[in-house]
Amino acid sequence: MEATTGARVPPKLTGRGQATRGRILEHAAELIYAKGVHATNNEQLRRAAGVSGSQLNHYFPTKESLVLAVIAWQAERVLAFHRSARFTSFDSLDGFREWAKYYTAYERSYQDGCSLGSLASEIIKTDLDVHEELAGAFDQWTDIFRDGLLQMQRLGRLDADADPTRLSNLLLSAYQGGMLLAQIARDVVPLEDALYGAIDYVQTFTTSTSGRDVRSAPV
Amino acid sequence: MEATTGARVPPKLTGRGQATRGRILEHAAELIYAKGVHATNNEQLRRAAGVSGSQLNHYFPTKESLVLAVIAWQAERVLAFHRSARFTSFDSLDGFREWAKYYTAYERSYQDGCSLGSLASEIIKTDLDVHEELAGAFDQWTDIFRDGLLQMQRLGRLDADADPTRLSNLLLSAYQGGMLLAQIARDVVPLEDALYGAIDYVQTFTTSTSGRDVRSAPV
């Protein structure tokens, strides 16, 4: 999940300024992912990133500006990861299975959950004005799945009567909900069941097979 | 979603004490549901419930004790609601469709999300020691679905090769994830797609039909 820290960098920053801002952002994202938004304070962030209070204040004058930048940073990482070659643009069931396999094999999945989803859950009831940023990121995420399913239809791999929008909403919901249940249970099984169940449902729309009898085994 | 406030009441409380504790709890649950755990403070709670600081402190000496009681209260409501007659113990697809219909017709679904799931998301990374309470509540919730699916198998309404545990994890994940996406999008569609998609997947295991051609329409 490599990504740059370039999201929303004000154009006037020097190279050194961008590097400092990027370092703060990286540590803020990590702290927030591990401990949550509310438990992350300026003092911890300054120490982790090795910056002064005035530097922190210069790049992120408010908590809202910091959280917005962390959303953009996490969204960029999640989207870039989903667009990486390993998932072949989700143009086949194998791409979706590779995706499920990645997250169910990844121990931190059921410790800290989805980097973007858990952040969204935590701040959605707060007064932080981050609605558009969050909604835009999740729209792009479902679009990646939907575009893959549309491509599967074009390639004749998915029935014409399958609804790519509906299926992509189910896939992302299964992922987000499965992540939450896995965190609560401290066990990967609910996530496995949700992801492979959703993918097996997509499989019932594949043209090459009846679907029902070749369900993927949980890994 | 009627329920009592009786969960975890210390046995030594008088009737009046129980009533006061119940009133505090009811207001705490409402405040936390609307504003989140972190934005709910003692001052707001005292005003809403009409109690003094010493009363509040008497019944809930720590934030942890209050959050634990709110989890128990919300869990009791959610579980009682799912056990209500309208869902006929989830012993048929109609029961599951009635459930999806309820939540997708309920405007607050995509405003404040699931009362228990959003609370879980918000506190799962905090130091509050509420793991067992949360895990127990969600176990009971999936058990309600699983028991319904097992009953469907006994009644010959669901194929023997369907896996009730796996399907119940998908159903609850679709609900939790769909609720989150609906909150983020401020639109019920992701929740509808997730719930009806998961239920339609269950339908592919029903014995009376091929499943594929009689998918439920989003309401």
Side-chain angles (χ1 to χ4, degrees), chain A residues 33 125 159 169 193 204 212, chain B residues 33 125 169 193 204 212:
Chain A
Y33 183 41
K125 291 185 182 181
D159 291 348
N169 275 327
D193 286 352
T204 68
R212 285 288 314 277
Chain B
Y33 184 41
K125 291 185 181 180
N169 275 327
D193 286 352
T204 69
R212 285 287 314 275

Side-chain angles (χ1 to χ4, degrees), chain A residues 21 24-25 55-63 65-66 69:
Chain A
R21 184 182 183 279
I24 296 171
L25 199 43
Q55 278 180 302
L56 180 54
N57 192 57
H58 173 69
Y59 294 105
F60 301 104
T62 61
K63 188 146 194 174
S65 64
L66 180 66

Side-chain angles (χ1 to χ4, degrees), chain B residues 6 13 29 38 41 49 60 62 100 103 105 112 126 132 134 140 144 148 171 183 187 202 209 214:
Chain B
L13 289 183
H38 298 280
N41 60 42
F60 302 104
T62 63
Y103 280 107
D112 290 333
T126 68
E132 276 183 37
L134 273 180
Q140 288 181 70
I144 293 172
L171 286 158
Q183 279 181 281
D187 183 349
V202 175
T209 164
V214 284

Side-chain angles (χ1 to χ4, degrees), chain B residues 31 73 87 116 123 135:
Chain B
L31 278 170
W73 147 276
F87 304 125
L116 198 58
I123 61 181

Side-chain angles (χ1 to χ4, degrees), chain A:
Chain A
M1 292 216 277
E2 299 302 315
T4 69
T5 59
R8 285 197 168 195
V9 176
K12 63 179 185 288
L13 290 182
T14 63
R16 192 166 161 184
Q18 288 196 20
T20 305
R21 184 182 183 279
R23 194 167 73 249
I24 296 171
L25 199 43
E26 190 170 354
H27 286 282
E30 180 58 33
L31 279 169
I32 286 176
Y33 183 41
K35 303 155 81 69
V37 172
H38 297 281
T40 298
N41 61 41
N42 281 357
E43 173 59 27
Q44 294 165 325
L45 179 53
R46 286 201 286 113
R47 241 180 295 147
V51 295
S52 68
S54 62
Q55 278 180 302
L56 180 54
N57 192 57
H58 173 69
Y59 294 105
F60 301 104
T62 61
K63 188 146 194 174
E64 186 164 294
S65 64
L66 180 66
V67 172
L68 272 171
V70 169
I71 291 171
W73 148 276
Q74 294 287 22
E76 197 182 325
R77 286 164 65 100
V78 165
L79 296 173
F81 179 64
H82 281 74
R83 288 176 182 133
S84 63
R86 69 191 296 167
F87 304 125
T88 61
S89 306
F90 296 96
D91 69 353
S92 71
L93 282 176
D94 285 346
F96 284 102
R97 291 210 183 95
E98 177 68 21
W99 170 71
K101 189 174 149 196
Y102 174 83
Y103 281 107
T104 54
Y106 184 56
E107 197 181 3
R108 210 172 166 184
S109 293
Y110 45 99
Q111 289 174 347
D112 290 333
C114 167
S115 57
L116 198 58
S118 61
L119 178 53
S121 304
E122 209 195 347
I123 60 182
I124 206 148
K125 291 185 182 181
T126 67
D127 294 330
L128 292 172
D129 183 18
V130 295
H131 169 69
E132 277 184 37
E133 198 75 32
L134 273 181
F138 278 86
D139 273 353
Q140 289 181 70
W141 196 347
T142 42
D143 280 353
I144 293 173
F145 294 147
R146 203 200 47 189
D147 290 348
L149 295 165
L150 283 168
Q151 178 67 0
M152 284 175 70
Q153 282 182 323
R154 279 190 292 267
L155 294 171
R157 294 174 181 165
L158 195 70
D159 291 348
D161 69 338
D163 180 340
T165 300
R166 195 186 197 204
L167 291 174
S168 60
N169 275 327
L170 173 62
L171 286 159
L172 190 54
S173 294
Y175 172 75
Q176 292 295 336
M179 277 287 192
L180 177 64
L181 298 192
Q183 280 181 281
I184 291 169
R186 296 184 180 165
D187 183 350
V188 76
V189 168
L191 178 65
E192 268 178 8
D193 286 352
L195 290 182
Y196 286 105
I199 293 168
D200 286 349
Y201 179 51
V202 175
Q203 186 170 1
T204 68
F205 293 95
T206 53
T207 45
S208 56
T209 163
S210 70
R212 285 288 314 277
D213 301 325
V214 285
R215 287 193 292 280
S216 44
V219 286

